[in-house]
Amino acid sequence: MSKVIVHSLFSDFDIDLFKSGKHFKLYEKLGSHPIELDGVQGTYFAVWAPTANSVSVVGDFNDWRDLEHPLNVRWDGSGIWEGFIPGIESGTLYKYNIHSNNFGIVTEKADPFAKYCEHPPKTASVVWDGDYTWKDEKWMDVRGDKNSLDKPYSVYEVHLGSWKRKENNDFLTYRELAEDLVQYVKEMGFTHVEFMPIMEFPFDPSWGYQLTGYFAPTSRFGNPEEFKFLVDKLHQAGIGVILDWVPSHFPEDAHGLGFFDGSHLYEHPDRRRGYHPDWKSLIFNYGRNEVRAFLISNALFWLDQYHVDGLRVDAVASMLYLDYSREEGEWEPNIYGNNENLEAISFIRELNETVYGNFPDVQTIAEESTSFAMVSKPVNIGGLGFGMKWMMGWMHDSLEYFKKEPIYRKHHQNDLTFSMTYAFTENFMLPFSHDEVVYGKQSLLYKMPGDEWQKFANLRLLYSYMFTHPGTNLIFQGGEFAQTSEWNYNQSLDWHLTQYELHSGIQELIKDLNTIYKSYPALYEKQFSQEGFQWIDYGDAANSVLTYIRKGHKQEDDLIIAANFTPVPREKYRIGVPKSGTLKQVFNSDAKKYGGSGSRKSSVKTEKVSWHGFDDSIEITIPPLGIVIFQ
């Protein structure tokens, strides 16, 4: 095998951008790149290792022998080692052996920019030169409209390793998922899927949230082009793709980013800021220019190379606060004496500005559980710049309310109404995610009180309330057919349950809720605006009834919603309405096809009886543990 030939893909301008933290397409330069040089096929390698004394490429091509293929360090102080090795082809396994200037430490590392990795538990990087021809032009032309904040946004959260498995418990491949999953999501009517992290990760029980291959879709289900095929098929079906993305922490695995070149290269050197006690993982050094460029390049990589439509940024709260999950004495205040991580906040703002500057037709979504202000407001007015934020308070309060026996709910109506005091401070997404159905929390169905009928009726009511509450929606896999057991990452969902009427009824309910959400502009045109919501009456705690109006741009699109949170039907229940005429019932969560007790009147005429401050009113029956929607 020929030795290393001096060669570079970097210009002086690239290096200046890299040093200043402004090079956001590093994936085109760093990593391994099969190229032809002077008529010779081979692979160019480049890796950032500023504390190294030497860096060698080792792999199956040289029997993993150290120092046989040493890279050349650049002369410009960038800390980049590079070179061209003839004869190395796509599919070659490799790592970097790094001899550090730091006490002679030697590390053997996977490539941080590898586009493909060995199937875990193996840990080598793979030289990759895949070719894919996209067929999603129609979607890409309109996705700015589909991803708009005034359009329906209903998300199905999926863990690819456990959504469905083969009879022998093997994973479905990306290509198999491109058939089964795409067809199912389209049938259910969701507008988007959100994949729990698909970047390469070593440890299955981490669910993908401890990444070692930031630029590589996991090889568990196939190669990079096969993952592109899955995204492409979703797009061709009119379904957007959101990826969970983890810039908050990374694992200490020996082949990963930690202590990369014998120094704290990617992680913050101060353990109080560089180590996460909850997750036993390392925290990125957000104040280091090259690390910021690595992370922002990674975000753009998935949007650019994989046509991804959005990033759900994991664990944002842990990034924002220096004292997150730390006791007194375990953290150090910032220069102003408070607990905000100023470097992380600056990074997040730059991330969002860069993402939207390059891809204005996508969304970034924050998993953020604190009262940090203006998470989903533009950077230029002091916000963090996300498109949406998970409404964790609504989720928590709603589940606490629904866990209570209906007889006690009249004392806790504030659990439901409180969300409207802050619902429009952010662009909120309402999430029932994987986190709510693990670690002894039970499935959503078994959080509900009462006998079997009441459990299912409560769940139908919960979902119907969710879809009529302002904001966008997210449901974790299995929730859409009332999975009975907690989620298990290591096995398929319990699809056999859908043969039973009550479970298939929940499935039908979700289908119809998705259809109604997409069909009635009042549910999405002003979903983040106070103008899109009006209480009719939130004070009838004695009957545990809420009535409200959802509004679109046109008054004739307004919807009247009445919800009964007890198993007692509310008959001849009068509510005020803003105009006279005939109201048509467009949805009833108690319909027989959902497993309910049966439908009620399909239309009702207003009467000139003043009620709830309106000149007109209607008298309706609100079904037990049910919601009705009128237009």
Side-chain angles (χ1 to χ4, degrees):
M1 177 72 69
S2 301
K3 299 303 181 185
V4 181
I5 296 171
V6 175
H7 184 66
S8 183
L9 296 182
F10 285 90
S11 66
D12 291 343
F13 183 54
D14 285 324
I15 296 299
D16 288 343
L17 287 175
F18 177 59
K19 287 180 177 179
S20 63
K22 301 296 183 184
H23 200 309
F24 301 139
K25 286 197 171 183
L26 287 175
Y27 51 90
E28 295 179 347
K29 308 291 179 176
L30 288 167
S32 59
H33 300 270
I35 61 172
E36 182 180 304
L37 182 62
D38 298 330
V40 177
Q41 298 291 335
T43 297
Y44 165 80
F45 295 90
V47 62
W48 179 51
T51 309
N53 186 45
S54 71
V55 177
S56 298
V57 183
V58 297
D60 53 2
F61 63 95
N62 63 9
D63 295 324
W64 302 92
R65 289 192 294 270
D66 192 11
L67 303 176
E68 191 156 311
H69 288 86
L71 298 177
N72 308 292
V73 67
R74 290 185 62 89
W75 61 91
D76 48 26
S78 63
I80 292 171
W81 298 73
E82 61 185 354
F84 173 80
I85 305 178
I88 291 186
E89 301 174 339
S90 183
T92 300
L93 303 180
Y94 72 100
K95 284 185 179 179
Y96 297 117
N97 263 24
I98 304 172
H99 292 249
S100 177
N101 281 322
N102 189 4
F103 302 111
I105 293 168
V106 179
T107 59
E108 184 176 282
K109 295 290 185 178
D111 189 344
F113 284 84
K115 294 183 176 65
Y116 192 30
C117 302
E118 269 192 301
H119 193 304
K122 296 180 179 179
T123 58
S125 302
V126 183
V127 175
W128 196 251
D129 188 25
D131 187 29
Y132 186 79
T133 302
W134 288 90
K135 298 176 182 175
D136 62 350
E137 299 87 356
K138 287 183 180 178
W139 170 264
M140 297 299 283
D141 286 345
V142 301
R143 77 169 180 177
D145 180 62
K146 299 290 187 183
N147 283 330
S148 175
L149 294 175
D150 60 355
K151 291 296 164 61
Y153 210 93
S154 179
V155 181
Y156 185 53
E157 186 189 22
V158 176
H159 177 262
L160 288 180
S162 62
W163 178 73
K164 186 182 286 186
R165 291 200 177 190
K166 299 174 183 176
E167 288 186 7
N168 63 359
N169 208 37
D170 281 353
F171 296 130
L172 295 183
T173 66
Y174 291 128
R175 284 193 169 272
E176 289 166 335
L177 288 160
E179 297 299 323
D180 291 9
L181 179 63
V182 173
Q183 180 181 350
Y184 181 73
V185 174
K186 186 173 184 178
E187 180 186 337
M188 292 301 299
F190 291 99
T191 65
H192 292 71
V193 292
E194 178 183 318
F195 292 137
M196 290 168 67
I198 54 82
M199 302 83 182
E200 194 59 83
F201 59 99
F203 188 49
D204 282 7
S206 79
W207 310 336
Y209 289 98
Q210 299 266 9
L211 304 180
T212 51
Y214 271 78
F215 290 82
T218 178
S219 56
R220 287 167 174 81
F221 316 114
N223 66 41
E225 278 58 56
E226 289 166 333
F227 180 61
K228 289 178 182 177
F229 180 78
L230 171 57
V231 175
D232 203 350
K233 284 293 186 182
L234 284 160
H235 283 172
Q236 291 173 47
I239 300 160
V241 179
I242 305 162
L243 298 186
D244 270 12
W245 186 58
V246 191
S248 47
H249 64 116
F250 58 93
E252 290 190 284
D253 292 63
H255 68 288
L257 297 176
F259 213 56
F260 188 79
D261 62 351
S263 72
H264 298 291
L265 191 62
Y266 288 91
E267 69 272 22
H268 198 286
D270 186 338
R271 198 77 167 168
R272 293 171 296 182
R273 297 178 65 178
Y275 182 74
H276 202 299
D278 283 357
W279 302 320
K280 307 291 188 291
S281 56
L282 301 172
I283 300 170
F284 285 103
N285 184 354
Y286 304 109
R288 188 162 191 168
N289 287 339
E290 298 91 341
V291 173
R292 291 166 74 108
F294 168 81
L295 286 170
I296 295 175
S297 290
N298 186 242
L300 295 193
F301 171 79
W302 294 102
L303 301 170
D304 175 23
Q305 300 290 299
Y306 284 84
H307 290 200
V308 166
D309 307 292
L311 298 172
R312 200 280 298 191
V313 183
D314 183 63
V316 171
S318 75
M319 301 169 67
L320 295 176
Y321 297 103
L322 296 166
D323 62 344
Y324 183 89
S325 204
R326 295 178 191 275
E327 302 296 329
E328 192 172 345
E330 295 179 345
W331 64 282
E332 187 177 48
N334 64 29
I335 57 173
Y336 302 111
N338 66 37
N339 65 342
E340 291 183 354
N341 188 333
L342 301 178
E343 292 172 346
I345 291 168
S346 166
F347 160 73
I348 289 169
R349 286 174 170 152
E350 184 172 24
L351 164 73
N352 281 315
E353 282 190 310
T354 306
V355 165
Y356 284 111
N358 286 273
F359 298 93
D361 54 353
V362 305
Q363 291 292 347
T364 60
I365 304 162
E367 184 206 17
E368 206 285 314
S369 55
T370 74
S371 57
F372 195 95
M374 301 176 70
V375 171
S376 60
K377 302 301 180 186
V379 171
N380 62 10
I381 62 168
L384 290 183
F386 286 99
M388 287 179 253
K389 168 182 168 172
W390 275 16
M391 198 175 189
M392 307 295 276
W394 171 88
M395 177 275 298
H396 178 267
D397 290 348
S398 297
L399 291 180
E400 282 302 307
Y401 179 88
F402 271 83
K403 287 175 187 175
K404 293 178 172 66
E405 292 286 347
I407 194 171
Y408 302 119
R409 289 178 177 174
K410 61 187 176 184
H411 305 298
H412 299 277
Q413 188 125 321
N414 183 60
D415 284 353
L416 293 183
T417 59
F418 179 67
S419 65
M420 296 313 302
T421 66
Y422 65 94
F424 306 107
T425 59
E426 301 278 4
N427 299 334
F428 279 120
M429 173 177 281
L430 314 181
F432 288 135
S433 75
H434 63 275
D435 280 327
E436 309 320 314
V437 291
V438 289
Y439 296 146
K441 294 180 184 177
Q442 300 183 301
S443 64
L444 287 185
L445 179 68
Y446 281 177
K447 293 181 198 291
M448 303 296 134
D451 59 18
E452 182 182 61
W453 188 92
Q454 287 197 22
K455 286 183 188 300
F456 279 91
N458 268 303
L459 188 58
R460 292 193 299 270
L461 174 59
L462 175 64
Y463 284 141
S464 304
Y465 165 62
M466 174 193 199
F467 272 82
T468 57
H469 188 286
T472 55
N473 312 299
L474 176 141
I475 295 174
F476 181 55
Q477 64 181 33
E480 81 283 4
F481 62 79
Q483 170 106 356
T484 53
S485 59
E486 284 189 340
W487 170 54
N488 182 345
Y489 73 90
N490 207 27
Q491 66 184 42
S492 173
L493 296 179
D494 295 331
W495 291 103
H496 64 276
L497 293 175
T498 58
Q499 69 185 297
Y500 301 111
E501 187 176 341
L502 286 172
H503 291 276
S504 64
I506 296 287
Q507 236 180 352
E508 289 301 312
L509 177 97
I510 296 297
K511 283 183 195 175
D512 285 356
L513 285 172
N514 275 324
T515 298
I516 284 165
Y517 178 40
K518 291 184 290 187
S519 302
Y520 290 91
L523 293 176
Y524 61 80
E525 284 183 341
K526 296 181 179 179
Q527 59 194 344
F528 302 123
S529 169
Q530 179 71 60
E531 297 175 354
F533 180 88
Q534 181 182 347
W535 285 116
I536 296 174
D537 184 15
Y538 59 84
D540 189 6
N543 287 307
S544 298
V545 169
L546 291 177
T547 49
Y548 46 97
I549 306 172
R550 290 295 306 277
K551 301 179 179 181
H553 295 314
K554 301 175 183 176
Q555 189 181 12
E556 58 263 33
D557 291 335
D558 290 359
L559 297 177
I560 307 293
I561 295 140
N564 173 14
F565 295 90
T566 74
V568 179
R570 301 301 174 191
E571 298 179 339
K572 296 187 177 180
Y573 191 91
R574 186 169 292 278
I575 62 173
V577 294
K579 56 187 286 193
S580 62
T582 300
L583 280 79
K584 176 187 175 187
Q585 181 179 283
V586 298
F587 175 78
N588 181 347
S589 69
D590 193 44
K592 279 196 170 179
K593 70 172 178 172
Y594 307 140
S597 55
S599 58
R600 302 302 192 273
K601 276 197 243 178
S602 60
S603 64
V604 59
K605 288 185 177 180
T606 60
E607 301 174 67
K608 282 294 178 186
V609 177
S610 296
W611 213 261
H612 293 140
F614 296 104
D615 293 336
D616 299 282
S617 60
I618 55 175
E619 203 172 67
I620 60 173
T621 296
I622 315 177
L625 296 171
I627 275 186
V628 284
I629 304 176
F630 292 93
Q631 186 181 37

